[in-house]
Structures are given as C-alpha cells and as structure tokens.
Amino acid sequence: MSSPAFQGGLDRAGVPLVDGIDKVTGRARYTADLDHADALVARILRSPISHGEIARLDISKALALNGVAAIVTGEDCAITYGVLPIAMNEYPMARDRVRYRGEPIAAVAAIDAETAQRALDLIECEFRKLPAYYESEAARAPDAWLLHDNKPGNIEREVHNEFGDLAAGFEAADLIRTHTHHCAEVNHAQIEPHACLMDYDPATGRLTAQSVSQVGYYLHLMLARCLEIDPSRVRVIKPFVGGGFGARVEVLNFEVIAALLARKAGGKVSMRLSREETFITHRARPQTDITLTIGMRRDGRFTACSCEVVQRGGAYAGYGIVTILYAGALLQGLYDIPAVKYDGYRVYTNLPPCGAMRGHGSVDVRHAFENLVDRMARELGHDPFAVRRTNLLAAPTRTLNDLMVNSYGLAECLDKVEHASGWRERIGRLPPGKGLGMACSHYVSGSAKPIHFTGEPHAVVALRLDFDGGVTALTGAADIGQGSSTVVAITVAETLGIALNRVRVISGDSAITPKDNGAYSSRITFMVGNAAIDAATKLKQILIAAAARKLEAAPEQIECAGESFFIGSGAQAALGFAEVAKAALVDEGAITVKGTFTCPPESQGGKHRGGAVGSTMGFSYAAQVVEVSVDDATGLITVDKVWAALDCGRAINPLAVVGQVQGAVWMGMGQAMCEETRYLDGLPAHASFLEYRMPTMIESPPIEVAIVESVDPFGPFGAKEASEGALAGFPPAMVNAVANAIGIDLDDLPATPDRVVEALARRRREAKRAVAVRAAS
C-alpha cells in the first residue's frame, strides 16, 4: 500500500485554513453562540466533599419551584459510560457514593439561570464521609479505603513489560544512572469553556446533540447507551470548537446530564459550564512520578533502560488504562535501545479524573528520559547531540515492542536545530546565567488500532459532484482548530488537480457525514487524509472516463492537470473541468463516491497485553534547542529563543504545520515553566485563567521552525502528524538549558522561580557542608 505521488499543484508555502476567515470575522458559531432562545437553562449540583456515601438526597423543594422543568439525579441513569469499553466505571451523576469534590450529584433545567440556581440551593443532600486520598502514595497504602471495590490497592491498572535482555544490557553499560522526576498535573486550558445544546423531540423520540466534543462518534454511542435509546434516534452535530487538546476526547458527564434533562423536560436544554466547572471536569495530564534507570556505554550508546511510572489518575477510569500504557510503549520508537523494562501504575485518588492530554501519556516520561540522558552525557564528556546520533534508528524497522517505524527524519531534525541555533559555536561560550539545551521527541500518527473495534474502516470520506461543478467532501472528522478540514480540502484538490476553492468541506454531522472516530492521537491527517485521497482517486477515474467519451479516446489516453482534461499535450483536444463534470452527470445525475482507509493488521502492535497502544503507521520526530536566561537571585527563567525541527513526513500545508509546531512549543513551555493543577482538600486551587498561570504572548520567545520531510511511504502524499511530536521536547530542552546556564539540575516540573531558588539554596547548603566536612577531616 502506498499513497499517490504529490503532484505539487498547490502552493508549497501553504494556504490559510479554509475556516480561518469565519473565525477571524466572528462568523464562526461556537456552541455557546447557538440559538438558545427557546432552550431551558441547565445547572449542575456538585459534591461538596471528596469522598462519601450519599445518605439522603431530597429534590422535592426544588422540583416544586416555579420555572423548574426537570431535575435529574443518579437515579435517572443507572448505566455507566466511558471511552474504553473495558473501563466504563463512571455514572453521569453519582449514585450512592461521591468520589471527588465537584462530582455531579443532580442537575436542574429551568426557565432561566437564576431559577436553576435557586433550585440547586433547595436540593437537600447529606453524606457519610469516607477517607479521601489526594496523593498516589496515600491511596496505595495497605489500609487505604478502596475507591472502587474491584480495584485492590486503588490501582486502576498496572503494566509490566520487559523487552530484550535487561540484565545483559546493564552489565554491558559503563555508566548506569537512576533518577526520579516529578511532573505536576496540568490542564488543557482551552479557550472555550465546555458547553452543549441538547434538543429532545418527544413526538419522534429523537435527540439532537450539539457539543464541544472532539469525538462526535463516541458521544453518539454514549448518549444512546445512557439514555437507552436506539442510536438511529441520535444526531450529533459539531459546531466550531474553541480548542480541545484532549479535553473533549472522551464523552463528558455534562453532555449526558444535559441530554437526560432534555428528555425529561421534553425539549431543548442548554448547558454552559463556568471556567471553574471546566477545570473540575478536567481529563488532563496526571501528576506523574518517573523513576528511570539508563545504562550507557562510554561511547554514548544506550545499553538498557528501566522505567517505573506512577500516575495519579483521579477518581474514575476515563482514558487511564491507555495513558499508563502509552507512557511505557513510547519509551521506544525514538532511539535504538537494546533492552527496555517498564512498570506502570495508574492510581485512583479522590480528585477529578485525568485523561488524554496532548502528547497522551508520553510527555512526562520523555522529559525524564531526555533530561537523564543529558546528565549522563555531561558525566561522560559527550555533546548531547552526539549521544542522540549514536542511538538513532534505521527505518524501516520494528521496535522491541513491535511498533512499526516506516520513516525516520530525526537525524535531519538534529542537523537543522544544531545548525540554526549555532550550537557548536555557542555551547559553553555563553555569558553567565545564559544556557542552551536540547532534546528530542516523537509521536504517533493515529492509533493503528481503534478504541472501539467494529471491523469498519478507520476512516471514511465521501465526495459529491453535482451540476454546479463543485466538489463537496463529507467527513465526520472533527476540526477543533488544528486545520483538519483544510487537509481534507487540499488532499482532494491535489488529487483531482482542481482549485482549492472548488472544494467545500462539510464535517461533523452524524446525519450527513460518514462516521469518524474523532480528533485524537493525531490520526486525522494520516487516516482521513488517505481516505480523502482514495475517494478523490475514484472520482477522478469517473471524470477521466467521461472526458474519454467526450473526446472519443481511450481513458488511458486522457491526462488531466489544472482543471483541464486533454490528450497528449492538449494542443488539439482539451476539456475544462466544468465541461467534463457535466458529461459525467449524463445518465447518472449527482455523483457520490466513497474513500476509505484502514491500518493493516501488521501495524497494530505486538501481541503482548496492551501491545496495540502506541502502534501507528507513522511516527513524527522532532528535535529542539532552547536558549534561556536564568536570574539566580529571583529564580526567574526567561526563554530567549527556540529552534524546533519536525519530521512530519510531507507537509501538506506547511503554513499550518508551522502553526502547529509553534502551538506545541507554547504548550510545552507552559508545562515546563508554570502550569500546575493544585488542590486544597480536593478543591482545585487555580480554577480560573487569572490563577492558573500560563505563558502569554509577552513571554513567547521567537520560535524558529524547520520542517523536515522524510516522506512516509504510507502517509497521504507522504505526510505524518504535525501537532503533538514537538511538544514533549520542550520541557527537557528547557531544563537542560537551565543546567547549562547555572549548573543546576531540576527534578520537578514546572520549573517555577521558587523551585529554582530552592535548588540554588540547596546547592549552597551542600557546598557549605562539604567545606565543613573537609575542614573537619
């Protein structure tokens, strides 16, 4: 299987996103912009405690309030929901027991927000408190109360894998180092708070759902499941989405609750969560402790790697099983490591559930690995670039855990950032307080094995050609700002050889567009792009046949380019696209074709338990250099400049690729420097954008992006993912730069000024102790 050659008919500098004008002019309608004129307003009553049994729940006074149309509680839905079929342990509203502060208990739909709030205040609820655990260690204690009776030790999932001869690997090492890194929990902090609009028609029993979801298909499934209605009676429409980063990659409780209210009220219900509620809904990157041991030969060659990861996952499963598996699986696929051992523990705690944040499962472990490698390189006197080059893979290959690597542009990424940053000339020669650091990273181009295995293609795109000569692409893929609709438009236009503005993309409406699994794991460019090419290729054959009939030639004689169909040079016989389109419609009418894409079984990972996680048809690769200034009096780190190179296979839209890399760097910068979700007795301490510290444009450094095109043999025109691969490289590159600047190795993320000052103070104390010991001896 291989993708058609890229014809180069489009502007190689790239094009603006096809929905960009709607967004910048305000024409784009997000969920909160939809017509709510006749909608009831919904509000959620949330648990005030972190852990306890619901002793009494009385809604009678609230229900008697004028203007209240419906109230739902846990009694209204006895069916669990979740993204993983094997781990659905969450009810939309708590039944019998609450497990985190802010967990939904009941919800009201009323004529306005004021009435809904008054009704919530009238609901009476009493609890029998249970012990609550906010840290993994406490939840894992032998005498800890179980959050879920079927999960001993409060372990959601533990993973133990070993590939290669670990003992022999460490035996062959000249240097073995072990270190523990602590990475704080962080939040997606997408601009648009959660919202949905649910419309239930009692006459037909149909539900129309509009929501911020990244995964309309899974939302469709879970609404039908929890409302116990036939899926054919559910329609899911995706309005414009103001960012996701994984926050909406699983169905969220408020979506199901609003649907339950709409059915009970027999009408339309609007649910808009506050920023605090959006934080509590959470599903972001968990607090993670990584204990890593690496064996290295004197020449910088890796000999073995052992890694233990403990993730504080929150109260329910969500994506947790996949997250803890990703953390181990993606230790591989970046470098050639002869032996790898992984032990992972996902722990239940009395906190909002974590989920699948951008770079799912891999960011914290990659930070630990790249930082420890740098420390060891220093100890052995190696340049960090040299160590990475010593351990490169050679594509095509399969990793020890059976992941396919079909294209590999990491060497060129290293060359690009090393040259652009002037690394060789500048490293070790910068003024005091200034430093350079580097790191590498990678990510999947979609999971090769879908979450819900149905036997259907992994992606389907339909194309329609009608009397007006316009080509309409129908896709269920969710454009959440990453530019996936533009990718579909470009791949169709490029395959057909037509102008981009002849293609219209309609996406995310389950009544119109084919099913798509959604926007997660950077799957859309690779999978939907290939399906779009397949559909366009089929349409092209129909058009060529029509042109051949019109020109009285054999189809094999017809060539097409630039919206023209011709024989030979076209000097004597040529037809325009519109003319050929009309000819194709004769006796047929409007033409609809379908393209599909499915990852072959050999790409779907190893046979070991959890082996499908991390499997992909194409890994992206990235290298970064970060330059920092560190104020050793205040501990303030300033990022002066970033050089980032990304191997995205082929850049279908280079303009968008650059934007995605810059966005990944910014998100990595937030996690590295300041972002941290902290709790006070289970209550988020920073649940607003005023308190949850994120980098702004003021702190944004110049980011120089280089695109490396390794041209993947299976990607659409050779393309791979371009959104997530560069994220994981920033935190270690920055921490390595801080070490270069002030000689301090930081163990914890984020590297806030207080942590830097504490590390400097610790170094001074240790130096004094060393002097005292020497004096005494």
Side-chain angles (χ1 to χ4, degrees):
M1 183 184 69
S2 62
S3 176
F6 190 76
Q7 298 176 29
L10 297 171
D11 185 354
R12 290 299 291 137
V15 298
L17 302 185
V18 294
D19 55 3
I21 292 175
D22 286 340
K23 290 177 177 175
V24 299
T25 59
R27 288 203 302 259
R29 289 167 62 80
Y30 296 81
T31 303
D33 301 325
L34 301 175
D35 182 9
H36 297 80
D38 57 345
L40 296 164
V41 178
R43 291 288 186 272
I44 295 175
L45 179 69
R46 298 178 180 277
S47 170
I49 66 170
S50 297
H51 197 191
E53 295 171 344
I54 300 174
R56 188 174 75 90
L57 180 62
D58 186 349
I59 62 171
S60 57
K61 293 178 182 175
L63 203 53
L65 184 67
N66 283 338
V68 172
I71 297 178
V72 293
T73 70
E75 296 302 312
D76 289 275
C77 184
I79 298 175
T80 58
Y81 74 102
V83 68
L84 305 177
I86 61 170
M88 294 183 185
N89 67 349
E90 188 171 5
Y91 295 100
M93 290 162 288
R95 294 168 54 87
D96 303 328
R97 197 192 325 185
V98 293
R99 292 179 173 84
Y100 67 94
R101 199 166 171 177
E103 182 171 0
I105 297 172
V108 172
I111 55 173
D112 54 37
E114 182 182 2
T115 305
Q117 185 57 52
R118 287 175 59 201
L120 290 187
D121 294 341
L122 290 171
I123 295 176
E124 298 175 0
C125 197
E126 296 176 4
F127 301 92
R128 283 188 289 273
K129 283 190 177 181
L130 297 172
Y133 309 105
Y134 305 122
E135 297 296 337
S136 300
E137 185 177 358
R140 295 176 70 185
D143 59 346
W145 194 284
L146 296 185
L147 271 73
H148 300 274
D149 294 340
N150 63 340
K151 292 295 178 182
N154 284 319
I155 299 295
E156 178 188 351
R157 177 71 177 265
E158 58 181 285
V159 182
H160 304 285
N161 289 322
E162 185 170 339
F163 303 95
D165 190 337
L166 197 78
F170 283 125
E171 181 70 24
D174 296 305
L175 180 68
I176 299 173
R177 288 292 177 264
T178 299
H179 200 80
T180 297
H181 289 74
H182 174 82
C183 299
E185 184 176 306
V186 294
N187 192 273
H188 314 84
Q190 75 279 2
I191 289 294
E192 180 192 27
H194 292 320
C196 67
L197 184 65
M198 299 288 170
D199 191 357
Y200 184 81
D201 183 352
T204 63
R206 291 182 182 275
L207 174 75
T208 300
Q210 300 187 74
S211 182
V212 296
S213 181
Q214 297 175 228
V215 286
Y217 166 61
Y218 296 132
L219 177 59
H220 196 133
L221 291 182
M222 289 302 109
L223 290 176
R225 173 185 167 92
C226 290
L227 271 65
E228 299 182 84
I229 59 178
D230 191 278
S232 67
R233 290 177 170 77
V234 178
R235 178 183 183 184
V236 175
I237 302 171
K238 183 196 72 64
F240 279 87
V241 176
F245 314 117
R248 289 103 181 235
V249 82
E250 56 184 299
V251 176
L252 301 171
N253 50 38
F254 77 94
E255 295 170 311
V256 181
I257 292 170
L260 290 166
L261 282 170
R263 182 172 65 176
K264 200 161 193 176
K268 188 186 291 185
V269 169
S270 166
M271 178 86 80
R272 302 183 197 177
L273 301 194
S274 67
R275 179 62 66 185
E276 182 181 17
E277 288 179 300
T278 300
F279 267 91
I280 289 172
T281 305
H282 203 33
R283 317 285 161 163
R285 199 179 327 284
Q287 175 180 293
T288 304
D289 295 299
I290 309 109
T291 300
L292 188 68
T293 301
I294 295 177
M296 188 182 286
R297 283 192 335 217
R298 197 166 286 107
D299 61 1
R301 180 79 171 90
F302 299 143
T303 61
C305 167
S306 175
C307 181
E308 180 187 277
V309 172
V310 179
Q311 294 176 344
R312 186 183 69 180
Y316 293 103
Y319 258 109
I321 291 175
V322 175
T323 311
I324 196 67
L325 285 165
Y326 257 130
L330 294 191
L331 276 165
Q332 305 190 51
L334 184 60
Y335 303 116
D336 181 13
I337 309 175
V340 177
K341 181 176 184 289
Y342 174 66
D343 298 291
Y345 303 89
R346 178 81 172 193
V347 183
Y348 281 121
T349 54
N350 293 108
L351 294 171
C354 295
M357 189 170 164
R358 193 176 189 178
H360 191 181
S362 67
V363 175
D364 294 337
V365 176
R366 181 52 47 199
H367 167 69
F369 191 98
E370 295 293 309
N371 183 241
L372 183 55
V373 166
D374 238 57
R375 298 182 191 200
M376 295 174 72
R378 259 184 276 141
E379 203 168 338
L380 288 173
H382 289 307
D383 182 271
F385 275 89
V387 170
R388 270 79 176 186
R389 289 186 174 112
T390 299
N391 293 284
L392 293 178
L393 293 166
T397 188
R398 301 187 81 95
T399 63
L400 292 174
N401 57 340
D402 219 10
L403 304 178
M404 283 175 55
V405 177
N406 296 308
S407 58
Y408 186 76
L410 185 57
E412 193 175 347
C413 289
L414 288 166
D415 293 345
K416 292 270 188 189
V417 296
E418 182 186 48
H419 176 74
S421 65
W423 178 275
R424 292 187 184 185
E425 299 78 23
R426 301 174 67 220
I427 187 72
R429 300 184 180 89
L430 295 179
K434 294 183 76 69
L436 289 171
M438 62 83 60
C440 297
S441 53
H442 68 324
Y443 204 64
V444 303
S445 300
S447 174
K449 194 162 192 173
I451 298 168
H452 289 250
F453 186 77
T454 61
E456 299 172 52
H458 294 179
V460 178
V461 171
L463 294 180
R464 193 175 72 110
L465 174 67
D466 211 336
F467 69 96
D468 58 359
V471 177
T472 301
L474 301 171
T475 171
D479 193 324
I480 57 171
Q482 81 281 42
S484 62
S485 290
T486 306
V487 167
V488 171
I490 291 175
T491 50
V492 170
E494 172 72 8
T495 305
L496 290 171
I498 59 178
L500 186 62
N501 60 8
R502 191 181 283 280
V503 182
R504 177 185 292 113
V505 179
I506 296 177
S507 67
D509 183 339
S510 65
I512 300 171
T513 57
K515 167 199 154 186
D516 188 82
N517 288 334
Y520 63 88
S521 297
S522 288
R523 55 176 292 281
I524 294 181
T525 291
F526 203 100
M527 297 185 183
V528 179
N530 269 322
I533 289 174
D534 185 40
T537 301
K538 291 172 180 171
L539 180 57
K540 187 175 182 179
Q541 294 306 313
I542 293 172
L543 294 170
I544 286 175
R549 290 195 298 273
K550 191 89 173 170
L551 293 172
E552 298 181 346
E556 298 76 28
Q557 295 176 278
I558 303 297
E559 298 181 32
C560 59
E563 299 207 342
S564 181
F565 293 74
F566 52 87
I567 299 173
S569 65
Q572 296 181 342
L575 299 171
F577 182 85
E579 196 173 356
V580 173
K582 287 182 180 178
L585 297 181
V586 172
D587 296 329
E588 296 290 337
I591 298 168
T592 300
V593 296
K594 181 180 70 177
T596 65
F597 176 76
T598 299
C599 296
E602 61 268 25
S603 71
Q604 295 179 4
K607 301 300 181 188
H608 56 281
R609 192 181 184 203
V613 176
S615 65
T616 184
M617 291 286 286
F619 284 103
S620 69
Y621 292 94
Q624 285 184 51
V625 170
V626 174
E627 181 174 343
V628 300
S629 299
V630 186
D631 185 331
D632 62 4
T634 65
L636 183 66
I637 299 168
T638 302
V639 179
D640 299 321
K641 187 161 184 178
V642 179
W643 295 264
L646 177 74
D647 163 28
C648 61
R650 164 100 63 188
I652 289 178
N653 187 7
L655 186 63
V657 170
V658 170
Q660 286 293 313
V661 174
Q662 291 173 336
V665 168
W666 275 321
M667 188 161 264
M669 190 163 64
Q671 180 169 356
M673 299 180 70
C674 49
E675 291 190 41
E676 183 171 9
T677 304
R678 303 173 73 179
Y679 297 90
L680 301 173
D681 294 330
L683 186 70
H686 311 289
S688 80
F689 279 2
L690 288 175
E691 297 158 327
Y692 184 79
R693 183 75 176 87
M694 293 181 290
T696 68
M697 287 304 292
I698 294 174
E699 289 126 327
S700 178
I703 303 171
E704 195 172 302
V705 177
I707 296 174
V708 170
E709 295 188 311
S710 60
V711 186
D712 188 86
F714 304 109
F717 303 128
K720 302 185 288 191
E721 81 88 26
S723 172
E724 302 187 74
L727 193 158
F730 184 91
M734 190 203 76
V735 169
N736 293 341
V738 170
N740 182 243
I742 60 173
I744 292 285
D745 283 311
L746 299 170
D747 297 333
D748 297 347
L749 289 183
T752 51
D754 58 317
R755 287 188 172 116
V756 175
V757 167
E758 186 181 325
L760 287 164
R762 188 165 54 245
R763 181 172 68 177
R764 283 193 290 269
R765 286 196 299 271
E766 289 171 353
K768 285 182 181 176
R769 271 200 297 269
V771 170
V773 170
R774 282 199 298 272
S777 62

